[in-house]
Amino acid sequence: MAEKIDQQAINEQARSDEESCRMESKELRRKKRIKCIVLFIIVQIIQTLILSLTVMRVRTPKVRLGTVTFPNLVTGTQFIPYFDLTMMAQIKVKNRNFGPYKFESTNATFTFQGVTVGHVLIPEGKAGFLSTEKVSVTLNMSSNALMPRFSRSLGSELGAGVLTLNSQAKLSGKVTLMLVIKKKRSAQMNCTLAINLSAKTIQDLNCR
Ligand SMILES: *[C@@H]1O[C@H](CO)[C@@H](O)[C@H](O)[C@H]1NC(C)=O
Ligand SMILES: *[C@@H]1O[C@H](CO)[C@@H](O)[C@H](O)[C@H]1NC(C)=O
Ligand SMILES: *[C@@H]1O[C@H](CO)[C@@H](O)[C@H](O)[C@H]1NC(C)=O
Ligand SMILES: *[C@@H]1O[C@H](CO)[C@@H](O)[C@H](O)[C@H]1NC(C)=O
């Protein structure tokens, strides 16, 4: 009889242990689930942050002059100053966005001390995903517009053997991200080029 009671007590004890164990595991599961949800939210926030800092960030494209050559270059002297030249130039549109940059056609202007000496049309185009579009242009320039006001300063540059010109252009366009998000961005070119007249090459090219 005593043994039977003992057995019953043991069984009861075991049952209550099992019960509390199940309760405990339920509580544990609940905590685990909350942990999982919090972790998921944190991962989402980090992903959104990374996306907005990389893929979704809109960077203004850069425009600069690349290779420049002179198939034709005729210049006068310090005392009879003039120039007549044909320039072949590469215009580079660098797009650092995770999507294409489409730009409208625009004029690039070349100036000598602020006076326009030549311009050329940059046709509309597209710089792809993280790439640089190279546009080749050819134009003629002459010193006609500089005379007679700038004959002295042109003369001194010709005498020194280096002609300094400035090149500017403003590209208007749109960056497309994730195929649908469009952001307007205009890119500005502002380069100073020093032409070595005896070598007929670019001696110094500075773009800002
Ligand atoms: C470029 O300049 C030419 C001549 O000045 C002008 O006729 C033309 O409309 C200009 N094109 C653009 C896109 O600004
Ligand atoms: C530049 O001038 C030369 C003649 O001096 C002419 O043959 C050529 O077509 C001109 N090029 C441009 C782009 O106007
Ligand atoms: C132009 O280039 C030539 C050859 O590279 C060089 O000897 C000369 O010094 C340069 N002229 C100037 C004014 O720097
Ligand atoms: C272009 O750059 C020069 C200096 O390199 C600066 O003086 C000039 O203001 C700039 N022009 C524009 C339109 O940003």
Side-chain angles (χ1 to χ4, degrees), residues 63-103:
V63 194
R64 39 188 64 227
L65 282 177
T67 316
V68 176
T69 56
F70 301 95
N72 176 46
L73 175 60
V74 182
T75 54
T77 63
Q78 181 170 3
F79 306 105
I80 313 166
Y82 69 89
F83 66 82
D84 230 313
L85 62 86
T86 303
M87 176 191 273
M88 280 173 74
Q90 214 176 39
I91 291 166
K92 295 204 243 179
V93 183
K94 187 177 180 185
N95 176 27
R96 296 185 305 142
N97 290 292
F98 286 80
Y101 175 60
K102 268 191 180 170
F103 51 87

Side-chain angles (χ1 to χ4, degrees), residues 160-162 196-201 203:
V162 177
N196 179 319
L197 297 175
S198 58
K200 303 191 180 189
T201 56
Q203 179 158 302

Side-chain angles (χ1 to χ4, degrees), residues 72-203:
N72 176 46
L73 175 60
V74 182
T75 54
T77 63
Q78 181 170 3
F79 306 105
I80 313 166
Y82 69 89
F83 66 82
D84 230 313
L85 62 86
T86 303
M87 176 191 273
M88 280 173 74
Q90 214 176 39
I91 291 166
K92 295 204 243 179
V93 183
K94 187 177 180 185
N95 176 27
R96 296 185 305 142
N97 290 292
F98 286 80
Y101 175 60
K102 268 191 180 170
F103 51 87
E104 293 161 21
S105 68
T106 189
N107 280 321
T109 309
F110 291 80
T111 57
F112 175 86
Q113 300 195 349
V115 181
T116 299
V117 290
H119 63 80
V120 67
L121 190 80
I122 301 174
E124 64 173 15
K126 186 176 89 173
F129 176 96
L130 292 177
S131 62
T132 301
E133 173 71 2
K134 296 179 185 120
V135 184
S136 293
V137 294
T138 303
L139 73 151
N140 287 335
M141 286 186 238
S142 83
S143 54
N144 292 343
L146 301 172
M147 300 305 160
R149 252 183 83 208
F150 290 88
S151 58
R152 185 186 286 258
S153 47
L154 179 60
S156 75
E157 290 209 357
L158 296 186
V162 177
L163 175 64
T164 304
L165 299 177
N166 188 263
S167 168
Q168 292 187 5
K170 188 182 172 193
L171 261 65
S172 304
K174 281 183 193 143
V175 173
T176 305
L177 295 173
M178 311 294 279
L179 303 173
V180 287
I181 303 164
K182 290 190 190 223
K183 300 272 182 193
K184 274 190 187 177
R185 278 295 180 277
S186 61
Q188 199 110 22
M189 174 169 83
N190 184 4
C191 300
T192 304
L193 48 158
I195 306 162
N196 179 319
L197 297 175
S198 58
K200 303 191 180 189
T201 56
I202 293 291
Q203 179 158 302

